Amino acid sequence: MTAHLSETLTLLLIEDNDGDAFLVEELLKQALAPPKVFWARSLQEAKAKLTPQIQCVLVDLSLPDASGLEALKEVLALAPHTAVLVLTGLRDSHVGVAAVQAGAQDYLVKSDVDERLLARAIRYAMERKRADLAHVSLVQAELTAKENSRLQNALLPGPLLRTEAIEHVTRYLPGSGGTLAGDFFDTVQTPDGSVHIVVGDVCGHGPDEAALGVALRIAWRTLVLAGQTDDTLLRTLDAVLRAERNSPEIFTTLCMATISPDLRHARMRVVGHPPPVLVRDGAVQVVDGTPSGPPLGIFPDAEWSVIDVPLGEEWSMMLYTDGLIEAAVGESQELLGLEGLLGLVREHGAIDLDRLITHVGTLSDDLAVVLVRRRRR
């Protein structure tokens, strides 16, 4: 009966016995679409022929330069993404079972092979390999999601606020890679009634940067609760950054704001970071006098000036990371930019985070935003 190989495949046969190799090739020629078969007599010879075009490897477990499961493990290491079908001359099911347990997709005893069984075994091996790779990808995705969730809980905590006089809203979106970077934020109200806010961004992407962002956020919260809210806090964060980073090139930008207990005035330090957006008395603007100084982790003797910002009775203030203004928007996929952001806020008549994010297109970087708003009583 004609074997059901309905499309042309590319196979590699690793077999040192000329007769057995001839038999396999003759059986495969009876398929509807005979596959293209490369033949190697040893593992060493197979290395040169094992290209990305190979869809399935048929390997004998008795080769001149390797035998048994050693030969199989060598093939699996050479072709981790390719289906592997074991051929054995041993009438011992334990050998085949051990081969499958070691990573092969299936096994055949040479003396039992006919054209139909061989074609079906190749198809099965390829489909099982696809399923195995899909399962691995799914598991990796689940692990990444769980890790991201743990990191997000540490990077993006709930605010420590007692007052109900201001509205506090946050948003976080990962970049196009889907994994968390080093963006972080936090809000803490101290016993004197002052409200302290930070939004920061560790340069780079990946778990190391995210972990560093967690360390900096926790250090910031600890220092604020201990009463350190001025340049001493920044110098301590700078020391933490230098101690925890994996590379001397890693730096961190951030924006800190301390809102007075009467909620009418703010003192800010914009540390190499995008300037906050302020809506006050109906006017949309960026905070003047930025930046206060360079990012953390660059100059050991850096100083940062304080920016005094009158707020008044009714105001909104948004602190954010550069993922927002570096987002691609519109059909042209141009960067939003600071002027584009101000334009959207003016168009909306207020800072509406949900509408802003709806207008944002492709994110090349993480986006973290903190919005605080005080309405007239």
Side-chain angles (χ1 to χ4, degrees):
M1 182 179 292
T2 304
H4 295 285
L5 285 177
S6 58
E7 64 181 73
T8 302
L9 303 178
T10 303
L11 313 178
L12 175 62
L13 172 63
I14 310 176
E15 171 64 73
D16 66 327
N17 185 290
D18 292 356
D20 289 342
F22 176 78
L23 173 63
V24 171
E25 290 182 326
E26 287 299 310
L27 292 175
L28 291 174
K29 286 180 181 179
Q30 300 179 49
L32 284 175
K36 184 176 183 180
V37 181
F38 292 91
W39 179 22
R41 291 179 172 81
S42 65
L43 280 178
Q44 187 63 35
E45 188 178 338
K47 291 179 181 179
K49 297 183 178 181
L50 194 51
T51 65
Q53 287 71 41
I54 299 298
Q55 296 164 283
C56 183
V57 177
L58 290 75
V59 56
D60 181 25
L61 287 185
S62 180
L63 297 171
D65 50 355
S67 62
L69 294 183
E70 177 189 352
L72 173 62
K73 291 176 181 178
E74 288 276 358
V75 172
L76 293 173
L78 291 171
H81 302 294
T82 306
V84 176
L85 178 62
V86 165
L87 301 174
T88 177
L90 303 175
R91 285 189 171 276
D92 187 349
S93 62
H94 296 293
V95 175
V97 171
V100 172
Q101 290 175 341
Q105 276 61 61
D106 202 355
Y107 73 96
L108 291 172
V109 177
K110 295 177 185 179
S111 58
D112 294 340
V113 173
D114 59 25
E115 65 273 15
R116 184 179 181 182
L117 178 59
L118 180 58
R120 187 176 62 185
I122 291 172
R123 270 294 172 219
Y124 173 79
M126 292 175 60
E127 292 302 324
R128 182 174 178 182
K129 186 63 178 182
R130 290 192 188 102
D132 290 345
L133 293 175
H135 177 70
V136 170
S137 297
L138 178 61
V139 171
Q140 290 176 341
E142 291 176 347
L143 290 175
T144 299
K146 290 179 181 179
E147 185 64 22
N148 280 349
S149 178
R150 287 194 294 270
L151 286 171
Q152 185 167 332
N153 289 335
L155 283 166
L156 317 175
L160 296 181
L161 278 175
R162 302 187 310 275
T163 181
E164 297 181 358
I166 63 173
E167 179 185 359
H168 181 275
V169 184
T170 62
R171 293 290 186 273
Y172 177 87
L173 291 175
S176 57
T179 58
L180 292 176
D183 291 19
F184 61 92
F185 58 72
D186 205 351
T187 302
V188 172
Q189 187 171 19
T190 46
D192 66 350
S194 298
V195 176
H196 308 270
I197 305 167
V198 66
V199 171
D201 184 2
V202 178
C203 72
H205 299 83
D208 291 339
E209 288 75 11
L212 183 54
V214 171
L216 292 174
R217 186 203 65 77
I218 293 174
W220 181 89
R221 175 175 280 204
T222 302
L223 291 165
V224 170
L225 291 175
Q228 300 292 336
T229 59
D230 53 15
D231 275 8
T232 302
L233 183 151
L234 288 175
R235 285 192 289 270
T236 305
L237 289 181
D238 184 81
V240 172
L241 170 64
R242 294 172 187 276
E244 298 294 331
R245 64 188 177 184
N246 292 334
S247 169
E249 291 79 24
I250 299 295
F251 63 88
T252 297
T253 69
L254 60 84
C255 179
M256 296 194 311
T258 298
I259 303 172
S260 59
D262 63 5
L263 308 180
R264 296 172 57 87
H265 183 270
R267 289 167 58 83
M268 294 187 181
R269 288 174 172 82
V270 182
V271 182
H273 201 78
V277 173
L278 181 64
V279 179
R280 179 181 51 190
D281 299 327
V284 180
Q285 62 188 89
V286 295
V287 172
D288 294 330
T290 59
S292 303
L296 302 179
I298 297 180
F299 303 111
D301 55 351
E303 296 182 356
W304 301 274
S305 60
V306 178
I307 303 169
D308 291 310
V309 183
L311 297 176
E313 289 289 336
E314 186 173 353
W315 50 267
S316 299
M317 183 167 58
M318 180 173 65
L319 288 69
Y320 55 93
T321 56
D322 58 7
L324 178 59
I325 56 177
E326 292 178 358
V329 295
E331 295 182 359
S332 62
Q333 291 291 287
E334 294 182 358
L335 296 186
L336 177 62
L338 185 55
E339 289 302 320
L341 175 59
L342 293 174
L344 283 178
V345 174
R346 294 188 182 105
E347 179 184 333
H348 298 161
I351 303 176
D352 186 328
L353 293 190
D354 290 330
R355 291 185 68 187
L356 273 178
I357 291 174
T358 299
H359 278 83
V360 169
T362 304
L363 294 177
S364 60
D365 197 358
D366 284 24
L367 181 159
V369 184
V370 175
L371 170 65
V372 286
R373 177 185 290 118
R374 187 193 186 197
R375 301 191 184 278
R376 191 183 302 274
R377 293 182 180 179

